[in-house]
Amino acid sequence: MNQRRTKTRLWQRWRKAICVLGLLQLVPLLLLAQGEKLRALFPERPSNYLTDMAQVVDEASARDINDLASRLRQATGAELAVVTLPTIGDYSANEVALTIGRSWGVGRGDSIGAAARNAGMVLLLVPRTPEHKGEIYLATGRGIEGIITDATSGRITDLMLPSLREAQYGPAL
């Protein structure tokens, strides 16, 4: 009788383990599906340093942003991607900006161990609409975190707020 109980318990444990392993195999598929929904918010590749999907940046500001980002890259090796999106759905600005940086490889252009490796920034803007409160977020790569700290990022975005409140998105960026 004891041997039968032991076999039954072992079989129950094995069934639970098999179920858990089966569920664990589904997790990557669920994450992949969620990642695909997130990646659908922005283009596969950037159009320039500024990718204005929300179409809120005027031509002169767009030229200035692209020129500044180009000069930044030439002088320091750091990369800046400025992205405007009409919506980010239920995702956080942090999550979207980091996904953009990783998908586009912002700041990864150098070899492993080089000072400019992961020296990238993604400045994400979601304009205010009746459906959305608006978002501004600056994500930094690890190679630039010592230069652009969280406090510095906060000060940068705070300086933009007056222009953003007036819907002057190009000058703000």
Side-chain angles (χ1 to χ4, degrees):
M1 190 73 164
N2 266 344
Q3 193 175 15
R4 182 181 258 172
R5 273 192 214 149
T6 303
K7 284 184 178 180
T8 303
R9 286 183 191 149
L10 282 173
W11 176 244
Q12 287 173 344
R13 287 181 185 163
W14 274 104
R15 277 189 8 207
K16 285 180 184 178
I18 290 169
C19 287
V20 167
L21 288 173
L23 289 173
L24 287 175
Q25 289 179 351
L26 291 176
V27 169
L29 294 174
L30 294 172
L31 291 175
L32 181 63
Q34 182 180 6
E36 291 302 317
K37 287 181 184 176
L38 181 85
R39 285 189 194 97
L41 295 174
F42 56 89
E44 189 175 321
R45 294 275 169 240
S47 55
N48 207 330
Y49 293 104
L50 169 67
T51 302
D52 185 19
M53 297 300 295
Q55 300 179 358
V56 294
V57 179
D58 60 278
E59 267 187 56
S61 295
R63 278 192 306 274
D64 291 345
I65 292 166
N66 285 317
D67 181 57
L68 175 67
S70 175
R71 288 186 288 127
L72 174 72
R73 184 169 188 227
Q74 289 172 0
T76 67
E79 292 182 339
L80 170 65
V82 180
V83 183
T84 70
L85 297 175
T87 183
I88 56 173
D90 293 332
Y91 297 102
S92 70
N94 173 41
E95 187 176 12
V96 175
L98 288 175
T99 303
I100 289 170
R102 289 178 182 142
S103 296
W104 291 353
V106 178
R108 291 188 184 261
D110 226 327
S111 60
I112 294 174
R117 175 85 174 165
N118 290 329
M121 300 164 283
V122 175
L123 180 58
L124 174 65
L125 169 71
V126 181
R128 182 184 306 216
T129 64
E131 301 83 36
H132 197 276
K133 66 180 174 105
E135 301 269 351
I136 184 78
Y137 187 79
L138 179 60
T140 58
R142 291 186 184 225
I144 206 160
E145 283 178 339
I147 299 164
I148 307 290
T149 63
D150 289 344
T152 304
S153 293
R155 283 195 297 272
I156 291 169
T157 55
D158 285 348
L159 290 171
M160 296 177 179
L161 289 177
S163 294
L164 292 174
R165 286 187 184 113
E166 298 297 320
Q168 298 295 315
Y169 300 112
L173 293 170

